[in-house]
Amino acid sequence: MATRTAPLETAGAHPPVPRRVLIALCATQITSWGVLFYALPVLLGDITADTGWSTAAVMGAFSAGLAASALAGIAVGHLLDHRGPRLVMTAGSTLAAVALAGVAAAPNLWTFTAAWTLAGIAQAAVLYKPAFAAITTWYGPKRVRALTILTLAGGLASTVYAPLTAYLASHLDWRDTYLALAAILAAVTIPAHAIALDPPWPAPLPDANGEGIAPVPDRRQIIASPTFIALAVAIALAAFAMSTSNLYLVPLMTGRGMDTATAAWALGICGAGQLLGRIAYAPIAIRTGPTIRAVLILAIGAAATLATALIAGPLGLVFTAVILLGAARGAFTLLDATAITDRWGPSGYATLHGILTAPATIAIALSPWLGAVLVDWTGGQPQMFALLAALVLIAAAICFGEGLFHRYVAKPSAGR
């Protein structure tokens, strides 16, 4: 396990981070996202055909896993702050492989759901949140560049693993496919996390009297602050809207008469837009403060979502709106990753980030089901997308209000 040292931030210097750290995290994010998240949609038809379980039941099991990830993320964040990513992410990789084996062997829907719940706990320890914590701590002022590279790699997960899963499924049944994917995940991520994540991990910051770990009330004050609560609400609203728009983009397009292949291209272009948004984030971060940056990205997201709702043609204009939608979503991933350090600095990042984003993770877990409810309630896909645009705009307004509150009412915090 990583050696514990004095806090790097307070020392005023960040030692060079070995290149293997970022390479390993990029490889494990591609694999973890690909196997734990993107394989299920590919195998969904095979699972329902073989078991007789409904699509809603299978996706409900997956949503239960996402909800478990949100709750586990709080405890994982606390453990990350105190023990570092090497232990947490290695254990998470091991648990993920075991959970996927359970998914493959599940004899009934209840066992299948229990296995996905276990997989959700593993997700909290291997997906973006612990990787963000590792990079935020180790890379210090250079974290935005490293986070950008990491999320660009993560964006390739579906590109790599959706075709691989389809290939395996063409030669194996869905159960053996999941066993093969579990073996791949174990082979790639367990040794990478155990071997590469070995730079020194900073000890908890001393308190004012130099008597040990920083007092818990400091973090509790942050968590109870209007700024933190407002950010949690804004991130949850935006995450729900962006996740739902991604899930229902193809139905929106096909509902307007677009053929399935072209609608699938629209979804792929949206994914490419995410990469563009992540590349653009670093220059935006250099030129803007946290509040302006959040409002700008969310406002673009709201406008792009509304444009997607309203524009039915020509195809070039539709694709332009979809690219902007993807770019906003890609930039939002990095906005989420840097929200804590922008406002309170890196100390206690993993704990605070886990709590901050727990409502967003639950909102994402609800998005498949709640999206369908909203389609019925609003009267159609375009109307639902217009409502999602309003939610993102509300999130932007909350961030703007949070910035005003911080500037004129609250005391200045680190990084603001």
Side-chain angles (χ1 to χ4, degrees):
M1 194 163 77
T3 306
R4 300 179 62 83
T5 65
L8 296 178
E9 286 289 324
T10 57
H14 281 78
V17 182
R19 187 174 299 178
R20 65 177 179 274
V21 170
L22 189 55
I23 293 173
L25 286 173
C26 287
T28 61
Q29 288 304 297
I30 292 172
T31 301
S32 298
W33 277 103
V35 173
L36 290 168
F37 199 87
Y38 291 109
L40 181 62
V42 177
L43 296 174
L44 181 60
D46 291 347
I47 294 172
T48 56
D50 177 59
T51 61
W53 305 333
S54 68
T55 297
V58 174
M59 292 306 292
F62 184 64
S63 293
L66 293 177
S69 175
L71 298 176
I74 298 172
V76 168
H78 181 78
L79 189 60
L80 277 164
D81 278 335
H82 287 78
R83 302 300 296 272
R86 189 181 189 186
L87 172 66
V88 172
M89 298 188 78
T90 303
S93 294
T94 305
L95 180 61
V98 171
L100 288 174
V103 168
N108 53 57
L109 184 58
W110 291 108
T111 310
F112 185 79
T113 303
W116 271 114
T117 301
L118 195 65
I121 296 171
Q123 287 174 21
V126 298
L127 294 183
Y128 274 151
K129 291 180 184 179
F132 287 167
I135 285 177
T136 296
T137 299
W138 280 327
Y139 283 82
K142 298 179 180 178
R143 55 183 166 259
V144 172
R145 179 178 178 274
L147 287 168
T148 301
I149 293 171
L150 179 76
T151 54
L152 286 172
L156 297 174
S158 60
T159 305
V160 174
Y161 278 91
L164 176 59
T165 301
Y167 173 79
L168 291 172
S170 68
H171 293 80
L172 306 168
D173 64 18
W174 71 270
R175 295 181 185 276
D176 287 339
T177 297
Y178 259 126
L179 286 175
L181 291 172
I184 292 171
L185 183 141
V188 172
T189 66
I190 293 175
H193 289 151
I195 296 170
L197 303 186
D198 62 345
W201 190 251
L205 288 173
D207 61 24
N209 298 319
E211 295 176 354
I213 294 174
V216 174
D218 287 350
R219 283 183 194 164
R220 290 179 178 172
Q221 283 181 347
I222 291 173
I223 294 164
S225 68
T227 295
F228 191 92
I229 294 169
L231 277 173
V233 172
I235 289 173
L237 286 174
F240 169 77
M242 292 183 183
S243 174
T244 306
S245 66
N246 193 58
L247 288 170
Y248 286 87
L249 183 61
V250 170
L252 172 70
M253 299 298 172
T254 55
R256 287 173 167 161
M258 186 181 289
D259 63 89
T260 303
T262 307
W265 270 104
L267 183 59
I269 287 172
C270 185
Q274 290 188 58
L275 300 181
L276 294 176
R278 288 166 184 173
I279 292 170
Y281 185 83
I284 293 172
I286 292 171
R287 294 169 174 81
T288 60
T291 298
I292 297 300
R293 182 160 63 251
V295 172
L296 175 64
I297 290 170
L298 293 174
I300 292 172
T305 307
L306 183 60
T308 304
L310 297 178
I311 298 172
L315 189 61
L317 199 56
V318 172
F319 279 6
T320 299
V322 167
I323 288 172
L324 287 175
L325 181 62
R329 189 179 181 200
F332 176 75
T333 300
L334 287 166
L335 188 70
D336 169 16
T338 57
I340 293 294
T341 47
D342 283 344
R343 291 160 177 82
W344 297 285
S347 178
Y349 173 90
T351 299
L352 293 173
H353 189 250
I355 296 171
L356 180 75
T357 57
T361 307
I362 293 173
I364 292 171
L366 293 174
S367 60
W369 168 76
L370 194 51
V373 172
L374 290 177
V375 170
D376 291 338
W377 182 66
T378 58
Q381 304 281 354
Q383 295 91 324
M384 190 263 283
F385 267 69
L387 177 59
L388 295 178
L391 293 179
V392 181
L393 191 60
I394 291 170
I398 291 172
C399 288
F400 182 71
E402 173 267 317
L404 290 178
F405 175 86
H406 179 87
R407 182 172 183 177
Y408 295 110
V409 179
K411 295 179 179 179
S413 300
R416 294 300 288 263

